[in-house]
mmCIF file of all heavy atoms in Angstrom:
data_model
loop_
_atom_site.group_PDB
_atom_site.id
_atom_site.type_symbol
_atom_site.label_atom_id
_atom_site.label_comp_id
_atom_site.label_asym_id
_atom_site.label_seq_id
_atom_site.Cartn_x
_atom_site.Cartn_y
_atom_site.Cartn_z
ATOM 1 N N TRP A 869 0.866 -1.216 -0.009
ATOM 2 C CA TRP A 869 0.051 -0.005 0.056
ATOM 3 C C TRP A 869 0.874 1.247 0.012
ATOM 4 O O TRP A 869 1.786 1.358 0.830
ATOM 5 C CB TRP A 869 -0.922 0.025 1.184
ATOM 6 C CG TRP A 869 -1.877 1.139 1.294
ATOM 7 C CD1 TRP A 869 -3.007 1.288 0.547
ATOM 8 C CD2 TRP A 869 -1.841 2.228 2.148
ATOM 9 N NE1 TRP A 869 -3.617 2.454 0.934
ATOM 10 C CE2 TRP A 869 -2.953 2.986 1.904
ATOM 11 C CE3 TRP A 869 -0.915 2.676 3.162
ATOM 12 C CZ2 TRP A 869 -3.256 4.173 2.556
ATOM 13 C CZ3 TRP A 869 -1.162 3.911 3.791
ATOM 14 C CH2 TRP A 869 -2.281 4.612 3.464
ATOM 15 N N LEU A 870 0.707 2.107 -1.031
ATOM 16 C CA LEU A 870 1.474 3.321 -1.049
ATOM 17 C C LEU A 870 0.808 4.579 -0.423
ATOM 18 O O LEU A 870 1.446 5.482 0.030
ATOM 19 C CB LEU A 870 1.729 3.734 -2.483
ATOM 20 C CG LEU A 870 2.634 2.633 -3.312
ATOM 21 C CD1 LEU A 870 2.912 3.170 -4.661
ATOM 22 C CD2 LEU A 870 3.863 2.359 -2.514
ATOM 23 N N GLY A 871 -0.548 4.477 -0.458
ATOM 24 C CA GLY A 871 -1.319 5.590 0.123
ATOM 25 C C GLY A 871 -2.629 5.748 -0.455
ATOM 26 O O GLY A 871 -3.080 4.911 -1.337
ATOM 27 N N VAL A 872 -3.375 6.770 -0.059
ATOM 28 C CA VAL A 872 -4.744 7.051 -0.544
ATOM 29 C C VAL A 872 -4.791 8.509 -1.113
ATOM 30 O O VAL A 872 -4.159 9.434 -0.564
ATOM 31 C CB VAL A 872 -5.788 6.823 0.525
ATOM 32 C CG1 VAL A 872 -5.622 7.837 1.660
ATOM 33 C CG2 VAL A 872 -7.143 6.898 -0.053
ATOM 34 N N LEU A 873 -5.419 8.667 -2.235
ATOM 35 C CA LEU A 873 -5.621 9.943 -2.842
ATOM 36 C C LEU A 873 -7.070 10.311 -2.637
ATOM 37 O O LEU A 873 -8.013 9.499 -3.017
ATOM 38 C CB LEU A 873 -5.233 9.969 -4.286
ATOM 39 C CG LEU A 873 -3.865 10.514 -4.552
ATOM 40 C CD1 LEU A 873 -2.926 9.503 -4.096
ATOM 41 C CD2 LEU A 873 -3.618 11.124 -5.797
ATOM 42 N N ARG A 874 -7.450 11.529 -2.120
ATOM 43 C CA ARG A 874 -8.707 12.036 -1.988
ATOM 44 C C ARG A 874 -9.179 12.550 -3.366
ATOM 45 O O ARG A 874 -8.434 12.614 -4.295
ATOM 46 C CB ARG A 874 -8.712 13.123 -0.982
ATOM 47 C CG ARG A 874 -8.169 12.829 0.390
ATOM 48 C CD ARG A 874 -9.025 11.877 1.170
ATOM 49 N NE ARG A 874 -8.342 11.516 2.453
ATOM 50 C CZ ARG A 874 -8.371 10.347 2.893
ATOM 51 N NH1 ARG A 874 -8.949 9.358 2.233
ATOM 52 N NH2 ARG A 874 -7.788 10.032 4.015
ATOM 53 N N PRO A 875 -10.537 12.709 -3.491
ATOM 54 C CA PRO A 875 -11.000 13.163 -4.820
ATOM 55 C C PRO A 875 -10.280 14.472 -5.334
ATOM 56 O O PRO A 875 -10.030 15.399 -4.554
ATOM 57 C CB PRO A 875 -12.520 13.531 -4.495
ATOM 58 C CG PRO A 875 -12.887 12.649 -3.312
ATOM 59 C CD PRO A 875 -11.528 12.532 -2.525
ATOM 60 N N HIS A 876 -9.917 14.364 -6.477
ATOM 61 C CA HIS A 876 -9.229 15.477 -7.314
ATOM 62 C C HIS A 876 -7.896 15.931 -6.509
ATOM 63 O O HIS A 876 -7.578 17.170 -6.724
ATOM 64 C CB HIS A 876 -10.196 16.647 -7.381
ATOM 65 C CG HIS A 876 -11.474 16.190 -8.118
ATOM 66 N ND1 HIS A 876 -11.509 15.959 -9.491
ATOM 67 C CD2 HIS A 876 -12.731 16.081 -7.589
ATOM 68 C CE1 HIS A 876 -12.792 15.492 -9.741
ATOM 69 N NE2 HIS A 876 -13.544 15.579 -8.591
ATOM 70 N N GLU A 877 -7.215 15.084 -5.897
ATOM 71 C CA GLU A 877 -6.001 15.425 -5.231
ATOM 72 C C GLU A 877 -4.766 15.015 -6.158
ATOM 73 O O GLU A 877 -4.878 14.125 -7.048
ATOM 74 C CB GLU A 877 -5.934 14.652 -3.909
ATOM 75 C CG GLU A 877 -4.716 14.978 -2.984
ATOM 76 C CD GLU A 877 -4.773 14.183 -1.719
ATOM 77 O OE1 GLU A 877 -5.229 13.044 -1.715
ATOM 78 O OE2 GLU A 877 -4.355 14.740 -0.672
ATOM 79 N N ALA A 878 -3.628 15.662 -5.875
ATOM 80 C CA ALA A 878 -2.405 15.360 -6.613
ATOM 81 C C ALA A 878 -1.270 15.398 -5.561
ATOM 82 O O ALA A 878 -1.302 16.142 -4.589
ATOM 83 C CB ALA A 878 -2.214 16.298 -7.735
ATOM 84 N N GLY A 879 -0.332 14.520 -5.698
ATOM 85 C CA GLY A 879 0.783 14.597 -4.867
ATOM 86 C C GLY A 879 1.694 13.374 -5.038
ATOM 87 O O GLY A 879 1.384 12.453 -5.858
ATOM 88 N N PRO A 880 2.895 13.341 -4.414
ATOM 89 C CA PRO A 880 3.832 12.260 -4.603
ATOM 90 C C PRO A 880 3.505 11.123 -3.643
ATOM 91 O O PRO A 880 3.047 11.309 -2.525
ATOM 92 C CB PRO A 880 5.200 12.908 -4.268
ATOM 93 C CG PRO A 880 4.856 13.899 -3.235
ATOM 94 C CD PRO A 880 3.441 14.463 -3.668
ATOM 95 N N LEU A 881 3.814 9.882 -4.070
ATOM 96 C CA LEU A 881 3.793 8.759 -3.232
ATOM 97 C C LEU A 881 5.220 8.091 -3.409
ATOM 98 O O LEU A 881 5.782 8.222 -4.480
ATOM 99 C CB LEU A 881 2.727 7.716 -3.591
ATOM 100 C CG LEU A 881 1.299 8.180 -3.514
ATOM 101 C CD1 LEU A 881 0.337 7.092 -4.087
ATOM 102 C CD2 LEU A 881 0.922 8.502 -2.082
ATOM 103 N N GLU A 882 5.665 7.393 -2.435
ATOM 104 C CA GLU A 882 7.007 6.821 -2.435
ATOM 105 C C GLU A 882 7.083 5.349 -2.112
ATOM 106 O O GLU A 882 6.204 4.846 -1.393
ATOM 107 C CB GLU A 882 7.974 7.536 -1.512
ATOM 108 C CG GLU A 882 8.249 8.966 -1.857
ATOM 109 C CD GLU A 882 9.249 9.693 -0.911
ATOM 110 O OE1 GLU A 882 9.461 9.102 0.145
ATOM 111 O OE2 GLU A 882 9.839 10.561 -1.351
ATOM 112 N N PHE A 883 7.992 4.614 -2.718
ATOM 113 C CA PHE A 883 8.276 3.270 -2.319
ATOM 114 C C PHE A 883 9.742 3.012 -2.357
ATOM 115 O O PHE A 883 10.462 3.726 -3.006
ATOM 116 C CB PHE A 883 7.506 2.308 -3.270
ATOM 117 C CG PHE A 883 7.854 2.378 -4.646
ATOM 118 C CD1 PHE A 883 8.804 1.522 -5.175
ATOM 119 C CD2 PHE A 883 7.133 3.277 -5.541
ATOM 120 C CE1 PHE A 883 9.189 1.514 -6.535
ATOM 121 C CE2 PHE A 883 7.475 3.299 -6.843
ATOM 122 C CZ PHE A 883 8.475 2.439 -7.416
ATOM 123 N N PRO A 884 10.147 1.928 -1.638
ATOM 124 C CA PRO A 884 11.645 1.657 -1.579
ATOM 125 C C PRO A 884 12.203 1.245 -3.023
ATOM 126 O O PRO A 884 11.551 0.563 -3.784
ATOM 127 C CB PRO A 884 11.754 0.407 -0.722
ATOM 128 C CG PRO A 884 10.487 0.346 0.063
ATOM 129 C CD PRO A 884 9.437 1.033 -0.776
ATOM 130 N N SER A 885 13.392 1.750 -3.318
ATOM 131 C CA SER A 885 13.987 1.489 -4.608
ATOM 132 C C SER A 885 14.171 0.043 -4.885
ATOM 133 O O SER A 885 14.201 -0.428 -6.088
ATOM 134 C CB SER A 885 15.290 2.253 -4.823
ATOM 135 O OG SER A 885 16.156 1.824 -3.881
ATOM 136 N N GLY A 886 14.301 -0.820 -3.900
ATOM 137 C CA GLY A 886 14.492 -2.276 -4.041
ATOM 138 C C GLY A 886 13.284 -2.880 -4.771
ATOM 139 O O GLY A 886 13.384 -3.930 -5.327
ATOM 140 N N ARG A 887 12.150 -2.230 -4.700
ATOM 141 C CA ARG A 887 10.934 -2.817 -5.394
ATOM 142 C C ARG A 887 10.975 -2.701 -6.874
ATOM 143 O O ARG A 887 10.215 -3.323 -7.619
ATOM 144 C CB ARG A 887 9.691 -2.089 -4.892
ATOM 145 C CG ARG A 887 9.303 -2.243 -3.444
ATOM 146 C CD ARG A 887 8.795 -3.657 -3.096
ATOM 147 N NE ARG A 887 7.763 -4.172 -3.983
ATOM 148 C CZ ARG A 887 6.580 -4.403 -3.704
ATOM 149 N NH1 ARG A 887 6.057 -4.133 -2.517
ATOM 150 N NH2 ARG A 887 5.651 -4.838 -4.586
ATOM 151 N N THR A 888 11.909 -1.858 -7.435
ATOM 152 C CA THR A 888 12.022 -1.695 -8.816
ATOM 153 C C THR A 888 12.573 -2.916 -9.606
ATOM 154 O O THR A 888 12.433 -3.054 -10.756
ATOM 155 C CB THR A 888 12.835 -0.469 -9.251
ATOM 156 O OG1 THR A 888 14.170 -0.641 -8.700
ATOM 157 C CG2 THR A 888 12.288 0.834 -8.673
ATOM 158 N N ARG A 889 13.270 -3.824 -8.776
ATOM 159 C CA ARG A 889 13.780 -5.070 -9.359
ATOM 160 C C ARG A 889 12.736 -6.051 -9.470
ATOM 161 O O ARG A 889 12.627 -7.014 -8.714
ATOM 162 C CB ARG A 889 14.936 -5.532 -8.516
ATOM 163 C CG ARG A 889 16.107 -4.580 -8.494
ATOM 164 C CD ARG A 889 17.273 -5.187 -7.597
ATOM 165 N NE ARG A 889 17.701 -4.056 -6.776
ATOM 166 C CZ ARG A 889 17.701 -4.027 -5.486
ATOM 167 N NH1 ARG A 889 17.302 -5.136 -4.777
ATOM 168 N NH2 ARG A 889 18.085 -3.079 -4.781
ATOM 169 N N CYS A 890 11.916 -5.948 -10.594
ATOM 170 C CA CYS A 890 10.800 -6.821 -10.815
ATOM 171 C C CYS A 890 10.788 -7.269 -12.275
ATOM 172 O O CYS A 890 10.546 -6.388 -13.070
ATOM 173 C CB CYS A 890 9.488 -6.185 -10.370
ATOM 174 S SG CYS A 890 8.059 -7.087 -10.681
ATOM 175 N N VAL A 891 11.066 -8.505 -12.486
ATOM 176 C CA VAL A 891 11.150 -8.942 -13.909
ATOM 177 C C VAL A 891 9.788 -8.830 -14.610
ATOM 178 O O VAL A 891 9.722 -8.483 -15.804
ATOM 179 C CB VAL A 891 11.664 -10.476 -14.006
ATOM 180 C CG1 VAL A 891 11.550 -10.943 -15.363
ATOM 181 C CG2 VAL A 891 13.083 -10.521 -13.305
ATOM 182 N N GLN A 892 8.732 -9.136 -13.924
ATOM 183 C CA GLN A 892 7.343 -9.018 -14.523
ATOM 184 C C GLN A 892 6.888 -7.650 -14.783
ATOM 185 O O GLN A 892 5.970 -7.410 -15.541
ATOM 186 C CB GLN A 892 6.349 -9.663 -13.607
ATOM 187 C CG GLN A 892 6.545 -11.126 -13.270
ATOM 188 C CD GLN A 892 7.351 -11.344 -12.057
ATOM 189 O OE1 GLN A 892 8.018 -10.438 -11.470
ATOM 190 N NE2 GLN A 892 7.352 -12.528 -11.506
ATOM 191 N N GLY A 893 7.497 -6.641 -14.189
ATOM 192 C CA GLY A 893 7.181 -5.257 -14.294
ATOM 193 C C GLY A 893 6.267 -4.823 -13.145
ATOM 194 O O GLY A 893 5.586 -5.655 -12.534
ATOM 195 N N LEU A 894 6.384 -3.545 -12.785
ATOM 196 C CA LEU A 894 5.584 -2.964 -11.687
ATOM 197 C C LEU A 894 4.150 -2.714 -12.162
ATOM 198 O O LEU A 894 3.956 -2.170 -13.242
ATOM 199 C CB LEU A 894 6.269 -1.682 -11.174
ATOM 200 C CG LEU A 894 7.589 -1.879 -10.608
ATOM 201 C CD1 LEU A 894 8.235 -0.597 -10.227
ATOM 202 C CD2 LEU A 894 7.583 -2.826 -9.403
ATOM 203 N N ASN A 895 3.210 -3.055 -11.415
ATOM 204 C CA ASN A 895 1.801 -2.704 -11.630
ATOM 205 C C ASN A 895 1.262 -1.957 -10.449
ATOM 206 O O ASN A 895 1.704 -2.091 -9.309
ATOM 207 C CB ASN A 895 1.001 -4.031 -11.720
ATOM 208 C CG ASN A 895 1.188 -4.637 -13.035
ATOM 209 O OD1 ASN A 895 0.954 -4.213 -14.105
ATOM 210 N ND2 ASN A 895 1.692 -5.924 -12.977
ATOM 211 N N PHE A 896 0.341 -1.055 -10.770
ATOM 212 C CA PHE A 896 -0.384 -0.357 -9.683
ATOM 213 C C PHE A 896 -1.798 -1.007 -9.634
ATOM 214 O O PHE A 896 -2.391 -1.310 -10.692
ATOM 215 C CB PHE A 896 -0.532 1.150 -10.047
ATOM 216 C CG PHE A 896 0.818 1.837 -9.861
ATOM 217 C CD1 PHE A 896 1.509 2.120 -11.049
ATOM 218 C CD2 PHE A 896 1.313 2.252 -8.723
ATOM 219 C CE1 PHE A 896 2.709 2.793 -11.060
ATOM 220 C CE2 PHE A 896 2.532 2.856 -8.666
ATOM 221 C CZ PHE A 896 3.211 3.158 -9.748
ATOM 222 N N PHE A 897 -2.279 -1.188 -8.473
ATOM 223 C CA PHE A 897 -3.615 -1.667 -8.256
ATOM 224 C C PHE A 897 -4.409 -0.589 -7.541
ATOM 225 O O PHE A 897 -3.976 -0.118 -6.500
ATOM 226 C CB PHE A 897 -3.630 -2.923 -7.504
ATOM 227 C CG PHE A 897 -4.985 -3.582 -7.504
ATOM 228 C CD1 PHE A 897 -5.570 -4.162 -8.642
ATOM 229 C CD2 PHE A 897 -5.769 -3.707 -6.361
ATOM 230 C CE1 PHE A 897 -6.750 -4.757 -8.655
ATOM 231 C CE2 PHE A 897 -7.034 -4.236 -6.323
ATOM 232 C CZ PHE A 897 -7.545 -4.803 -7.523
ATOM 233 N N LEU A 898 -5.428 -0.020 -8.241
ATOM 234 C CA LEU A 898 -6.239 1.078 -7.626
ATOM 235 C C LEU A 898 -7.483 0.534 -7.120
ATOM 236 O O LEU A 898 -8.197 -0.152 -7.838
ATOM 237 C CB LEU A 898 -6.461 2.096 -8.743
ATOM 238 C CG LEU A 898 -5.316 2.606 -9.481
ATOM 239 C CD1 LEU A 898 -5.633 3.499 -10.652
ATOM 240 C CD2 LEU A 898 -4.203 3.218 -8.700
ATOM 241 N N VAL A 899 -7.882 0.980 -5.882
ATOM 242 C CA VAL A 899 -9.175 0.568 -5.307
ATOM 243 C C VAL A 899 -10.071 1.725 -5.039
ATOM 244 O O VAL A 899 -9.627 2.622 -4.239
ATOM 245 C CB VAL A 899 -8.946 -0.212 -3.979
ATOM 246 C CG1 VAL A 899 -10.304 -0.676 -3.391
ATOM 247 C CG2 VAL A 899 -8.078 -1.476 -4.209
#
């Protein structure tokens, strides 16, 4: 979980750089 965005909000979210080592590719899942 990276965070939650409120309606019509903008801003940065962060994650550890170690997560970028993903052969399948990074996906975002939005709920």
